[in-house]
């Protein structure tokens, strides 16, 4: 008799699994999904209750307008039109962006060398002490730090009196209640934040990268510029994004150090709430502020190719 050629095997037979085993695996996967959802549910409910719902209410309120002292829900874009046509409101957007970008750039330029020195030049047993000293500004209240800078930068403050004492100035100059004072206060705080993110990136780099670059004939500067710096870009961009978010939404530092000569967006929002009681306009400004932060995140994620993960 001729041997019977075997027919094509079913997928389950090829994998060595029976239908009962396949159904059992499906039940296990569904059980694991339910378990994962059980653990994630509290965070989802928290986000829904304290972020998504309030944000949706704020968006709806931004579509209303103020008539006298009453809020009238009209579902129109009048507040947004006013934001981008009123010079005082539009200037607040540009002031916030200019201050935030300036602070971010200066903080990166100061934080990267500091993080590199701690990670490569400080002995490992002293690096924790160096990092602890670097984060000392976080140990004090944010308001206290701002008022401390007000005492330093005032016309009768430590800085002016010191410069006059050594003969560099004949009379005190105006730094307080200016954009410069706001930037100084911000940079003092965010340099430390960026130092932490960049340092965390630097200590993860293998020394073999620098050795390989040296074997290929690269100088120390070329290794730093073409090898080490590109590899630390994730830490730089993470810290820069956090700096952008915290800086553009900050109200205390511009209010204490910058005065009211030029208002940032948080100051405009508080002005609408405190003096005018215009909650719809304050909501519209807040939505615009959220949109700017979202755009910054999208730009950062795309640049780092995080959207492919």
């Amino acid at each position: 008799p001729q041997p019977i050629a075997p027919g094509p095997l079913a997928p389950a037979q090829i994998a060595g699994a029976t239908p009962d085993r396949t159904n059992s695996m499906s039940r296990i996967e569904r059980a694991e999904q339910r378990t994962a959802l059980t653990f994630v549910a509290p965070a989802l409910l928290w986000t829904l209750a304290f972020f998504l719902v309030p944000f949706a209410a704020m968006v709806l309120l931004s579509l209303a307008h103020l008539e006298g002292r009453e809020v009238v829900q009209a579902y129109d874009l009048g507040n947004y039109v006013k934001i981008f046509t009123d010079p005082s409101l539009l200037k607040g957007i540009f002031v916030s962006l200019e201050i935030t970008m300036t602070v971010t750039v200066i903080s990166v330029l100061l934080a990267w060398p500091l993080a590199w020195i701690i990670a490569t030049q400080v002995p490992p047993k002293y690096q924790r002490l160096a990092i602890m000293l670097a984060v000392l500004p976080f140990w004090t209240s944010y308001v206290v730090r701002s008022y401390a800078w007000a005492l330093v930068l005032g016309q009768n403050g430590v800085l002016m009196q010191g410069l006059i004492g050594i003969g560099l100035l004949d009379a005190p100059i105006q730094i307080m209640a200016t954009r410069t004072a706001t930037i100084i206060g911000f940079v003092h705080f965010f340099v430390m934040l960026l130092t932490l993110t960049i340092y965390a990136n630097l200590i993860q780099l293998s020394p073999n990268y620098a050795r390989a670059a040296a074997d290929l004939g690269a100088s120390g500067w070329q290794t730093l510029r073409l090898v080490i710096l590109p590899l630390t870009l994730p830490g730089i961009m993470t810290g820069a994004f956090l700096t952008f978010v915290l800086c553009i939404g900050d109200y205390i530092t511009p209010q204490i150090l910058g005065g009211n000569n030029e208002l940032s967006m948080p100051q405009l929002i508080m002005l609408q709430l405190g003096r005018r009681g215009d909650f719809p306009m304050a909501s519209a400004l807040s939505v615009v502020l959220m949109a700017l932060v979202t755009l910054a995140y999208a730009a950062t994620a795309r640049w780092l190719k995080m959207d492919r993960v």
Side-chain angles (χ1 to χ4, degrees), residues 54-215:
F55 182 73
M58 185 175 68
V59 171
L60 290 177
L61 185 58
S62 70
L63 301 177
H65 62 270
L66 193 67
E67 291 185 0
R69 293 183 177 272
E70 295 184 1
V71 175
V72 178
Q73 190 68 54
Y75 298 104
D76 58 40
L77 300 176
N79 291 323
Y80 296 97
V81 173
K82 185 177 180 180
I83 289 174
F84 292 101
T85 55
D86 189 328
S88 62
L89 297 178
L90 189 60
K91 182 182 178 181
I93 298 177
F94 287 108
V95 167
S96 292
L97 289 175
E98 290 169 3
I99 291 176
T100 301
M101 296 304 296
T102 303
V103 168
T104 302
V105 171
I106 295 176
S107 299
V108 169
L109 294 177
L110 294 177
W112 201 96
L114 177 59
W116 182 80
I117 290 172
I118 295 175
T120 61
Q121 305 302 311
V122 177
K125 62 180 180 180
Y126 295 120
Q127 287 186 8
R128 290 186 178 180
L129 176 62
I131 289 296
M132 185 186 69
L133 294 175
V135 301
L136 278 178
F138 292 99
W139 293 11
T140 58
S141 169
Y142 195 64
V143 177
V144 171
R145 285 198 302 271
S146 298
Y147 278 111
W149 274 111
L151 295 175
V152 171
L153 299 175
Q155 291 194 349
N156 295 320
V158 177
L159 179 61
M160 292 298 108
Q161 295 302 316
L163 293 177
I164 293 174
I166 61 177
L168 292 179
L169 292 178
D170 295 328
I173 60 176
Q174 180 68 31
I175 296 181
M176 266 300 296
T178 65
R179 183 184 297 192
T180 301
T182 301
I183 292 174
I184 291 174
F186 274 138
V187 168
H188 171 239
F189 177 78
F190 291 117
V191 162
M192 301 302 105
L193 177 65
L194 275 157
T195 299
L196 291 178
T197 60
I198 297 172
Y199 170 80
N201 205 168
L202 280 169
I203 60 174
Q204 295 178 4
L205 298 181
S206 172
N208 293 329
Y209 290 114
R211 294 168 186 166
D215 289 341

Side-chain angles (χ1 to χ4, degrees), residues 11-18 21:
Q13 293 175 326
I14 295 176
T18 63
R21 184 178 177 183

Side-chain angles (χ1 to χ4, degrees), residues 33 197 223:
Q33 292 175 355
T197 60
T223 301

